[in-house]
Amino acid sequence: MSEEHGIRGGLTNYGDKDFAEYLRSSFARSMGLSKDMLRKPIVGIAETGSGFNNCHRTMPELVEAVSRGVLAAGALPRPFPTTSLGEVFLNPTSMVYRNLMSMDTEEMVRAQPMDAVVLIGGCDKTVPAQLMGAASANIPAVQLVTGPMMTGRHMGERLGACTDCRRFWGKYRAGEVEREEIDLVEGRLATTAGTCAVMGTASTMACIAETLGMSLPGSAAIPAVHSDRLVAAEFSGKTAVDLIANPRLPSEIITVHSVENAFRVLMAVSGSTNAIVHLTAVAGRLGIRIPNARLNQISDETPVLVDLKPVGDGYMEDFFAAGGVGAILREIRHLLHLDTVDVTGQVLGDRLEPEMEWVDRRVIREFDKPVSDQGGLIALKGNIAPDGAIFKRAAATPALFETEGRAIVFDGLADLAKRVDDPDLDIEAGDIMVLKGAGPIAAGMPEAGYLPIPKKLARAGVKDMVRISDARMSGTAFGTIVLHISPEAGAGGPLAAVRNGDRIRLSVKDKSIDLLVSDQEIAKRLCDFAPAEGHKRGYRALYERTVLQAPDGCDFDFLTQSGKSDK
Ligand code: FES
Ligand code: MG
């Protein structure tokens, strides 16, 4: 081992280096580490357990299992804490803190003496943050996810967070379910440790991490409480040690080819719209950019093969039992770049060589018998979204794909909350609901794009309407919803010019979203635009000053690009 490794790694290069090492060793001794242990290479374990993160409840046993793998392979495991982001506990939205966690991860990986790192995340923003941090720190890294929850049961029906949360809440709003039942369901939606039980953002990102090659093959879908999850943790620790002897850096694993493969898998699993933003941010850390036109090409060529909620019927436990990411990769093999390499050193083509013994075709379809012919997600463009917008066609109502309607405008989150259920609101089923002021700068881009159907329409049986915004929506949500309109209204994008009663046209066929108002009139209206006053101090001020729009992954402008910290 070279002297830059192990406990000597990253020693200050001023003053007396031998004394610095002596001091460090004596402090390490206070943790009960023998000289023998201190001679070994070190694997850091980024742990993200938190009393505010239910999805990471198994963190202690995962850390123990990773440590076991590291020790058995002859290195010294060193767990260390970083920011943890529990999706439903963060205000105003976890999205604001993804970049903070990525910076924390990058800097702690870089600053502390470790030769490789295992990053343990799971809940929506944590895996993107860790992958972004790992890409920028660019030391050998293995991503391990906490894994999805098992389903609960309610009157003979399976329930999983959080598609069924929304489904039941929708029924409750429509008066189809009583208070007693919704209370009962509350305790049956999320009943085990782990991330949401459907193909939401967390599970999509787990599949993406595996496809990129940053997680162990076969590990994305293992349920949180399954013994295989601990075996994968142990093997992740061992793999990190192997990576020290045979270095493969994140920048060699996350390449244009592996990112394109990840987009393919995103389409085939009909994953979360959020994953587009996150994968863009991860790739952006290494200077990789997949244009919207390429995204649409990938989407049009890649059928949806997985029948899971929120688009289909099953849950992540079914996906795991059906064959997981490996089964998907084999079905779309002819569309993949087979030369990518994963953390174990295996080339994708070799991984896919042996056929799987059995695949549950109820859950993972054959390529020519898909759930739907085309990928779940597309990018739209138009005068209202010059830099693009995202639409999840697989979770939308085909009858609404070609819609022209009257805009009913909500000017920010508070306005939406105040008026959406107002019985006097002038709104009909064929209207297009528009939310502005929910983009990255204006509001941190919360999952507000799933605008509730106004109560009076819901009670009249309206199940879906076209809804458009500069916000995101939960990966577990569904509906005919246009998201991530860029530039956002808060940055003076044309969305800011939409007025109540304007006509808007959505065409999924043409991949367009347009405001049927002349360019001159839009420009005139935007003359009046004045940016809102933002935060004056602290992280929120930094966020608002430097956050990029959705097509750039909502990363901070000073964090994109590759490599080491600029000096
Ligand atoms: Fe953590 Fe859904 S709340 S994954
Ligand atoms: Mg979510």
Side-chain angles (χ1 to χ4, degrees):
M1 192 175 64
S2 97
E3 66 167 23
E4 262 69 52
H5 286 75
I7 202 72
R8 282 185 68 90
L11 277 174
T12 48
N13 53 10
Y14 49 84
D16 181 342
K17 205 162 179 168
D18 291 338
F19 177 66
E21 185 193 358
Y22 177 75
L23 197 70
R24 188 178 270 183
S25 300
S26 81
F27 277 76
R29 185 63 176 263
S30 82
M31 292 186 275
L33 295 167
S34 66
K35 264 236 175 302
D36 250 14
M37 288 308 273
L38 292 179
R39 273 192 220 107
K40 294 182 186 300
I42 296 176
V43 174
I45 304 170
E47 59 170 321
T48 53
S50 161
F52 294 103
N53 194 340
N54 58 292
C55 303
H56 294 195
R57 202 181 87 194
T58 52
M59 195 59 59
E61 60 180 18
L62 288 172
V63 170
E64 187 194 318
V66 173
S67 299
R68 185 166 68 236
V70 171
L71 277 172
L76 172 64
R78 288 290 88 193
F80 64 99
T82 70
T83 308
S84 183
L85 303 175
E87 187 62 19
V88 300
F89 297 100
L90 286 153
N91 189 27
T93 159
S94 60
M95 188 61 187
V96 165
Y97 303 104
R98 184 202 63 181
N99 294 351
L100 179 70
M101 181 174 173
S102 84
M103 289 168 74
D104 181 7
T105 304
E106 173 185 347
E107 297 304 332
M108 288 304 103
V109 165
R110 207 198 296 279
Q112 300 175 116
M114 61 190 82
D115 303 299
V117 64
V118 177
L119 306 148
I120 315 180
C123 195
D124 291 9
K125 308 300 179 293
T126 60
V127 171
Q130 291 182 325
L131 290 174
M132 290 160 77
S136 292
N138 207 26
I139 72 161
V142 179
Q143 179 75 57
L144 173 67
V145 298
T146 56
M149 285 182 212
M150 304 296 284
T151 53
R153 295 286 186 282
H154 173 66
M155 297 182 180
E157 184 184 3
R158 287 198 297 169
L159 295 183
C162 222
T163 304
D164 295 321
C165 320
R166 288 169 217 290
R167 190 164 58 82
F168 267 90
W169 194 253
K171 285 186 181 188
Y172 174 61
R173 275 177 65 82
E176 293 165 25
V177 159
E178 297 298 325
R179 185 78 231 181
E180 297 79 67
E181 187 175 1
I182 197 81
D183 285 346
L184 206 56
V185 167
E186 181 188 294
R188 295 173 173 175
L189 286 162
T191 53
T192 76
T195 51
C196 286
V198 300
M199 190 54 83
T201 306
S203 295
T204 307
M205 287 311 301
C207 295
I208 282 177
E210 181 176 331
T211 307
L212 284 174
M214 291 296 292
S215 295
L216 294 181
S219 67
I222 306 167
V225 294
H226 198 296
S227 55
D228 285 3
R229 175 58 57 204
L230 294 175
V231 175
E234 183 184 303
F235 200 69
S236 295
K238 177 186 176 299
T239 301
V241 179
D242 291 346
L243 278 176
I244 300 170
N246 310 290
R248 266 176 306 281
L249 300 175
S251 59
E252 296 166 70
I253 294 172
I254 303 171
T255 60
V256 174
H257 280 187
S258 71
V259 171
E260 287 203 346
N261 287 349
F263 271 114
R264 290 262 178 221
V265 165
L266 169 62
M267 300 304 168
V269 302
S270 194
S272 162
T273 48
N274 292 315
I276 295 185
V277 179
H278 298 321
L279 182 53
T280 301
V282 172
R285 290 298 180 95
L286 295 165
I288 298 166
R289 177 80 178 255
I290 308 297
N292 274 349
R294 178 69 178 141
L295 179 85
N296 280 340
Q297 187 190 358
I298 289 173
S299 183
D300 287 346
E301 291 169 352
T302 315
V304 176
L305 296 175
V306 169
D307 192 6
L308 292 190
K309 288 174 195 272
V311 171
D313 276 337
Y315 295 89
M316 284 304 289
E317 63 197 33
D318 306 318
F319 181 59
F320 171 64
V325 171
I328 291 289
L329 292 171
R330 283 175 177 82
E331 286 307 315
I332 60 170
R333 177 179 4 208
H334 57 289
L335 294 171
L336 296 172
H337 303 288
L338 296 173
D339 59 348
T340 60
V341 67
D342 64 36
V343 282
T344 67
Q346 193 173 33
V347 174
L348 182 61
D350 295 339
R351 173 185 171 186
L352 302 183
E353 205 52 58
E355 288 305 323
M356 296 191 76
E357 276 171 21
W358 180 80
V359 175
D360 186 344
R361 294 297 176 191
R362 290 169 304 179
V363 181
I364 300 175
R365 303 284 172 79
E366 277 155 312
F367 187 84
D368 48 8
K369 293 182 197 134
V371 176
S372 71
D373 289 343
Q374 296 177 315
L377 306 167
I378 52 170
L380 306 177
K381 216 175 162 157
N383 67 356
I384 205 173
D387 294 341
I390 295 298
F391 182 74
K392 188 167 183 176
R393 59 182 160 191
T397 307
L400 295 174
F401 278 10
E402 309 298 317
T403 297
E404 187 192 313
R406 181 177 65 139
I408 305 300
V409 178
F410 298 92
D411 216 347
L413 302 167
D415 185 39
L416 175 69
K418 195 166 106 212
R419 293 195 298 122
V420 71
D421 287 337
D422 182 344
D424 295 329
L425 181 69
D426 175 17
I427 192 164
E428 289 163 16
D431 291 335
I432 295 183
M433 297 174 76
V434 180
L435 171 66
K436 355 168 162 175
I441 297 171
M445 212 181 182
E447 293 186 338
Y450 176 75
L451 279 74
I453 304 287
K455 221 178 220 164
K456 66 175 182 184
L457 296 182
R459 286 182 184 249
V462 177
K463 296 266 182 277
D464 195 8
M465 290 173 72
V466 178
R467 290 160 270 178
I468 77 170
S469 74
D470 44 15
R472 298 177 301 113
M473 79 171 177
S474 165
T476 63
F478 47 85
T480 308
I481 297 177
V482 177
L483 302 156
H484 311 180
I485 287 182
S486 300
E488 64 171 300
L495 183 65
V498 184
R499 291 187 185 160
N500 220 46
D502 285 346
R503 309 281 304 168
I504 289 176
R505 184 166 52 221
L506 164 71
S507 171
V508 175
K509 175 169 55 72
D510 296 340
K511 300 192 173 77
S512 66
I513 178 85
D514 284 293
L515 177 61
L516 304 182
V517 167
S518 73
D519 290 350
Q520 295 89 319
E521 174 62 16
I522 292 175
K524 199 170 110 214
R525 291 183 191 177
L526 288 176
C527 285
D528 299 336
F529 172 78
E533 198 155 297
H535 287 78
K536 289 268 177 288
R537 63 163 296 282
Y539 175 72
R540 295 295 299 280
L542 173 75
Y543 181 93
E544 286 160 12
R545 271 205 305 274
T546 61
V547 72
L548 298 167
Q549 296 289 293
D552 290 307
C554 298
D555 204 355
F556 290 156
D557 56 10
F558 62 93
L559 292 175
T560 57
Q561 307 302 321
S562 60
K564 307 205 161 63
S565 289
D566 291 332
K567 293 269 161 49

